[in-house]
Structures are given as structure tokens and as C-alpha cells.
Amino acid sequence: MCGIYGNTRADIYSLGVVLWELLTGAKPFDDTTAGKRSDAATLATMAQRRRAGVDPAALKRIPPDCPTALQRVLLTGLAPERDQRWAGGAALAQQLELCLDERARDLVDPPPNSWRLRLRPWLVTLAVAGPNLLAALANIHHNKSLIVDRLSLPQHTFWIIAGAVNAVSFPVGLATLIYLSRRLLTVPPGLRRGRRYDPRVLALVRSDALLFGDRTMLVTISL
């Protein structure tokens, strides 16, 4: 049903249902009206509900003190598409073990109201803007003492030209980094809200994360 059968990930799905019931006291899908119609209609309704993922009513039954990491682990195990679930029992066990380590799990999946989660959208900007600002100040001082003070060109003219160039190049560089990191800025928050993404999109996000340092360095050197 909706891709839950066929390999180890079917077992992951079944285990996810059991763990969800243990956590919330109810199934992750509403099947209360399933038995009031024919068998074929009942199966079709159940399949449709599972394709849609865990319903909002089930999400509201999650205990308030449930770690965000555990919620992510269970929702991944209950993903409608088989390829979106944990690849096997070892991967699931590692994720559940992570949930037992409060410090580690809060680093990976900060609680909803934590300062880490609130600051996360700004970390990329801070990581790029901070070093660039310090480098820019050092560069200005270095250039002024070795080049600008020795130019025959009036200094105010030089600073106007330099300011105009920087006013264009740095916003372009920042916009380029934001564009290259667009999936990193949008997909992880979506996952935390329970949104589902195509496996190809998730693969691109992982690639973007691995290439982010190289891209940042390339843009910075170009500036």
C-alpha cells in the first residue's frame, strides 16, 4: 500500500507506526471511517491517506516534550515513498540513539523555541559577512598606506570609484551565495515542518551542503 511493501523499508514503516502509537496513543492515520464502505473503497481510502503522510490531527497528539529529533526520525520512517525512509535498521538505530543524547540531538534538531533555531537563518550570512568585513577593513588600511596615499589621482575621486565598485560587487556576491544556497535555506525548515520532498531534491540539498564551503571561498576570492 502506497509503496510500503517490498523490502526492509516496509519493516521500517511498520515499526514507525508502532512507535508512533507508543508515543501518542493513537495511529498516525485516521481509519475510523474505513470500515463503513466496501473492501475496495476502504483500501483505496486507506492508501490515499497514507500517501498524504501523517495527518495534522496526529501531529497535534505529539507530546509537547517530545524532542524535535525524535519527531523527525518517526516522520522519516513513515514517509509515503519508500526511498524517503531510513535505508535499514542500522540507520534507524543510529538516529534513535542520537535522540538519547540531549546535547547532540539539540544541535542537529534544535527545539522549536531555542536560540539555535532562531539564529540558524542568520548563521550563513554571519559566516560570510563577518570575515569579509574584517578582511575589507584590513584591505582598506593596507591599500591606503601602500597605494592610495601615493596616487596622483585625487583621493576623493579614488574613494568614489572604489565605493561604486564595492557597492555593486559585494551585493552581487551575496546574492550569488544566497542563490547557490537557496535549497539549504528552504528545504531543512520545510523538513522540520513535516513537508515532503522528492528524493532528487534531498540529494541536491546534500550536495549543496558539501559544496557550500568551496562555493563560499570561490565567491569570496572573486570579490
Side-chain angles (χ1 to χ4, degrees):
M1 186 178 296
C2 60
I4 65 173
Y5 302 114
N7 61 11
T8 304
R9 299 190 184 190
D11 299 328
I12 297 294
Y13 188 93
S14 300
L15 178 60
V17 173
V18 174
L19 293 177
W20 189 277
E21 289 189 77
L22 290 173
L23 177 67
T24 66
K27 294 181 179 179
F29 310 102
D30 181 13
D31 291 330
T32 54
T33 61
K36 297 182 179 180
R37 290 178 286 179
S38 66
D39 292 343
T42 295
L43 290 174
T45 300
M46 293 173 66
Q48 182 179 8
R49 289 173 179 171
R50 282 152 180 75
R51 283 193 210 96
V54 178
D55 59 51
L59 291 173
K60 291 181 180 178
R61 287 192 288 268
I62 296 176
D65 59 348
C66 175
T68 305
L70 179 57
Q71 180 177 335
R72 173 182 58 81
V73 171
L74 295 181
L75 288 175
T76 301
L78 292 169
E81 297 299 329
R82 194 165 45 219
D83 293 341
Q84 295 177 353
R85 299 176 205 142
W86 302 113
L92 176 59
Q94 289 176 347
Q95 292 293 323
L96 291 174
E97 186 176 2
L98 171 68
C99 295
L100 297 176
D101 188 330
E102 182 176 357
R103 185 170 182 273
R105 78 187 183 213
D106 288 348
L107 286 174
V108 176
D109 295 280
N113 297 321
S114 69
W115 63 268
R116 286 192 182 96
L117 187 60
R118 290 195 293 268
L119 290 180
R120 181 173 283 183
W122 302 98
L123 292 180
V124 173
T125 302
L126 181 62
V128 175
N132 267 282
L133 179 60
L134 294 176
L137 293 175
N139 189 49
I140 290 172
H141 176 75
H142 182 75
N143 288 340
K144 186 175 185 304
S145 61
L146 296 183
I147 301 175
V148 179
D149 289 344
R150 304 179 185 183
L151 290 176
S152 58
L153 184 72
Q155 289 197 18
H156 72 278
T157 303
F158 171 82
W159 289 116
I160 290 175
I161 296 173
V165 171
N166 288 333
V168 173
S169 62
F170 278 89
V172 168
L174 181 59
T176 301
L177 277 177
I178 292 175
Y179 175 77
L180 293 174
S181 307
R182 62 193 183 281
R183 285 182 288 262
L184 288 175
L185 296 172
T186 58
V187 173
L191 290 172
R192 287 193 294 272
R193 291 193 295 268
R195 183 176 176 182
R196 305 297 180 186
Y197 292 92
D198 187 273
R200 290 172 296 179
V201 174
L202 297 178
L204 288 172
V205 173
R206 288 191 287 269
S207 177
D208 288 345
L210 293 174
L211 293 173
F212 177 73
D214 292 338
R215 291 172 175 174
T216 301
M217 184 59 65
L218 179 61
V219 172
T220 302
I221 292 175
S222 299
L223 290 178

